[in-house]
Amino acid sequence: EVQLVESGGGLVQPGGSLRLSCAASGFTFNNYAMSWVRQAPGKGLEWVSVISGSAGSTDYADSVKGRFTISRDNSKNTLYLQMNSLRPDDTAVYYCAKGIHLLAVSNSFDPWGQGTLVTVSS
Amino acid sequence: EIVLTQSPATLSLSPGERATLSCRASQSVSRFLAWYQQKPGQAPRLLIYDASNRASGIPDRFSGSGSGTDFTLTISSLESEDFAVYYCQQSSNWPLTFGGGTTVEIK
């Protein structure tokens, strides 16, 4: 069974940093691109970032470019999101999600993790 | 950025009725369009990918159609567990984008 389990969320002050992790199991991790998608309270879904299976390619939404860094450790089957210079409008549930197409970077997502809540507030 | 517009925002129907949800793209996305279902407190679940392919384990009452800029998700006969929010998502162009969602509620 494919499983994604996020961790690392919490309360952080504006301007602070946080690193999210997503532990993956049940599939050949380095064959699939992985993404982070967020959902602000009561709002819709926003794609945040993607990383290819080999980690050779990454991309970001304009709203986080220059502040967030996506990475992965294929030896540990783990995806990361380093979030710096956090702002109140970054408050959201952050989901990690597996791309559905083998070796493709642009993708639909299946499955998703259960999400981890990041709250940016003083 | 490709904007996805979903309509209606809310659909009020009874169990057993047919639901038709629309997703319109601001420019062509070919068939790179997916649909997700989200229930309160849960992560989204993939229903349809590449416009018309059902994801693994998805009942055949869910179907997707369309190409280019106009797409439809149809639920042929609503079950109680189908009342939820539905999102479309395009993977044709960067950045990947989602529609604003359609809530299917019990009438």
Side-chain angles (χ1 to χ4, degrees):
Chain A
E1 180 194 3
V2 176
Q3 263 200 318
L4 301 172
V5 179
E6 300 98 334
S7 60
L11 175 64
V12 61
Q13 292 189 335
S17 298
L18 213 53
R19 188 175 86 154
L20 306 183
S21 299
C22 171
S25 60
F27 65 102
T28 305
F29 186 63
N30 62 3
N31 278 350
Y32 292 89
M34 298 292 295
S35 279
W36 289 98
V37 179
R38 68 184 180 182
Q39 187 170 36
K43 302 297 184 182
L45 301 167
E46 180 189 17
W47 171 79
V48 171
S49 183
V50 66
I51 186 167
S52 64
S54 66
S57 176
T58 60
D59 202 359
Y60 300 89
D62 285 346
S63 57
V64 306
K65 203 169 287 185
R67 300 187 299 122
F68 290 11
T69 302
I70 192 171
S71 62
R72 63 193 295 162
D73 184 336
N74 286 342
S75 69
K76 295 181 179 179
N77 287 358
T78 303
L79 173 72
Y80 303 101
L81 186 67
Q82 177 67 43
M83 303 186 295
N84 298 332
S85 303
L86 282 161
R87 309 187 302 222
D89 63 356
D90 293 318
T91 294
V93 174
Y94 285 74
Y95 297 101
C96 65
K98 171 185 166 288
I100 67 165
H101 292 306
L102 185 68
L103 301 178
V105 180
S106 183
N107 257 301
S108 306
F109 309 118
D110 184 46
W112 300 52
Q114 85 286 353
T116 188
L117 176 63
V118 173
T119 303
V120 185
S121 175
S122 54
Chain B
E1 170 176 320
I2 294 178
V3 176
L4 299 179
T5 302
Q6 292 188 241
S7 61
T10 304
L11 200 50
S12 298
L13 294 169
S14 300
E17 289 193 293
R18 182 184 190 89
T20 304
L21 288 67
S22 173
C23 178
R24 178 163 289 177
S26 59
Q27 64 188 78
S28 176
V29 298
S30 184
R31 292 180 59 82
F32 298 110
L33 195 286
W35 292 93
Y36 301 86
Q37 177 193 68
Q38 187 178 33
K39 297 179 182 178
Q42 296 185 16
R45 176 175 73 142
L46 178 67
L47 299 175
I48 302 288
Y49 66 94
D50 296 346
S52 61
N53 295 297
R54 261 189 309 275
S56 176
I58 300 303
D60 62 6
R61 64 180 181 272
F62 291 92
S63 63
S65 64
S67 66
T69 60
D70 289 296
F71 299 86
T72 300
L73 174 69
T74 301
I75 311 170
S76 60
S77 179
L78 282 163
E79 304 275 345
S80 57
E81 62 265 30
D82 300 336
F83 292 93
V85 180
Y86 294 83
Y87 294 96
C88 57
Q89 175 244 329
Q90 65 83 20
S91 56
S92 172
N93 285 55
W94 300 98
L96 307 183
T97 51
F98 291 87
T102 290
T103 300
V104 178
E105 64 175 23
I106 300 176
K107 186 175 182 178

